[in-house]
Amino acid sequence: INKALAIDKINAKAYFMKGMTYKEMGDTAKAVSNFQTTVDQDGEYYHAFIQLGLIFSTRRNKLAIDYFNNAIKLNHKSVEARYDLAMFYQENNETDKAIIQYDSILRIEPKNKNAHFNLGYIQLVYLKDYKLAVQYFTNAISCDSIYAEAYFNRGYCYELTGYATNAKADYHKAIEVRTNYQKAIEGLNRIEEGKK
């Protein structure tokens, strides 16, 4: 890559590749520097904006929002950029903004199992709306009939709301899909303990 840049210093793709190499090596400072050079040279380099967003997300730095929004401006139907932005909001307790992004993903891609799942997760963990969470997890399962985490989380919602039979069925399904799924096994044990 350095040889290519010695020939042509204005080569956005080479800087992007260099950034990816540094990222793989764990040197995020040099990765960021190269990705920023990429977008300086080519303001429409979508993947560089995504990579910058991801790196700043891991640092919980709000600059990630700008980078993901730049990627969305370049590709307004980008599920990837919207999902990454939604995850940033979700992990930083901005659930209202995360919900908006997941909803926008579902307008683009109605069968996106991860958007349905994460909407359910927000309802379950952050907002404690178990009935709505069940609906989202059910939607995720309708998109992927072997989505073990969705079965487990729906089962957990049922357990929390006193529907032990439904909870057991979902825990069993989660274990059927993923052998020895520890959380589902623990859920079944809790239900059995509750009967005693």
Side-chain angles (χ1 to χ4, degrees):
I1 294 169
N2 285 335
K3 285 179 182 177
L5 288 169
I7 297 164
D8 177 12
K9 289 195 185 320
I10 302 172
N11 186 335
K13 186 174 184 180
Y15 282 107
F16 179 76
M17 290 170 62
K18 203 170 172 181
M20 290 302 291
T21 303
Y22 280 123
K23 186 180 176 189
E24 289 296 315
M25 292 166 57
D27 190 338
T28 55
K30 285 184 181 171
V32 165
S33 174
N34 280 279
F35 292 138
Q36 286 176 330
T37 302
T38 304
V39 297
D40 287 344
Q41 291 185 355
D42 180 355
E44 295 186 6
Y45 210 112
Y46 168 87
H47 293 291
F49 284 115
I50 292 288
Q51 290 302 320
L52 285 163
L54 291 171
I55 290 170
F56 281 94
S57 282
T58 60
R59 299 175 180 174
R60 292 190 176 278
N61 186 318
K62 288 193 176 230
L63 275 175
I65 297 166
D66 295 331
Y67 288 124
F68 292 137
N69 279 325
N70 283 334
I72 291 166
K73 282 178 195 163
L74 292 171
N75 178 3
H76 69 279
K77 292 205 179 232
S78 171
V79 168
E80 173 189 31
R82 290 176 192 281
Y83 186 82
D84 292 337
L85 179 57
M87 284 299 296
F88 178 82
Y89 285 136
Q90 182 177 327
E91 290 169 357
N92 289 281
N93 296 314
E94 294 188 64
T95 54
D96 290 346
K97 291 178 180 177
I99 289 168
I100 289 167
Q101 291 304 317
Y102 290 131
D103 284 340
S104 72
I105 289 169
L106 293 174
R107 283 193 295 279
I108 297 164
E109 200 175 274
K111 291 283 185 185
N112 188 296
K113 70 176 186 176
N114 296 321
H116 286 294
F117 178 87
N118 285 4
L119 284 164
Y121 187 84
I122 287 170
Q123 296 302 324
L124 168 62
V125 174
Y126 295 92
L127 305 177
K128 313 293 186 206
D129 186 337
Y130 306 125
K131 186 176 179 184
L132 189 52
V134 163
Q135 185 55 57
Y136 282 122
F137 292 131
T138 301
N139 292 345
I141 291 164
S142 74
C143 298
D144 179 359
S145 63
I146 56 167
Y147 200 163
E149 294 87 351
Y151 283 110
F152 167 75
N153 280 299
R154 187 174 71 176
Y156 188 54
C157 289
Y158 284 136
E159 182 185 347
L160 290 172
T161 52
Y163 293 96
T165 304
N166 290 355
K168 279 176 67 175
D170 275 348
Y171 289 151
H172 279 296
K173 185 65 179 178
I175 294 166
E176 179 187 315
V177 172
R178 182 185 297 157
T179 308
N180 297 323
Y181 190 166
Q182 191 57 39
K183 287 183 177 181
I185 292 167
E186 289 167 6
L188 287 170
N189 289 341
R190 279 193 305 273
I191 291 169
E192 288 307 311
E193 284 296 313
K195 286 181 178 177
K196 291 179 182 176

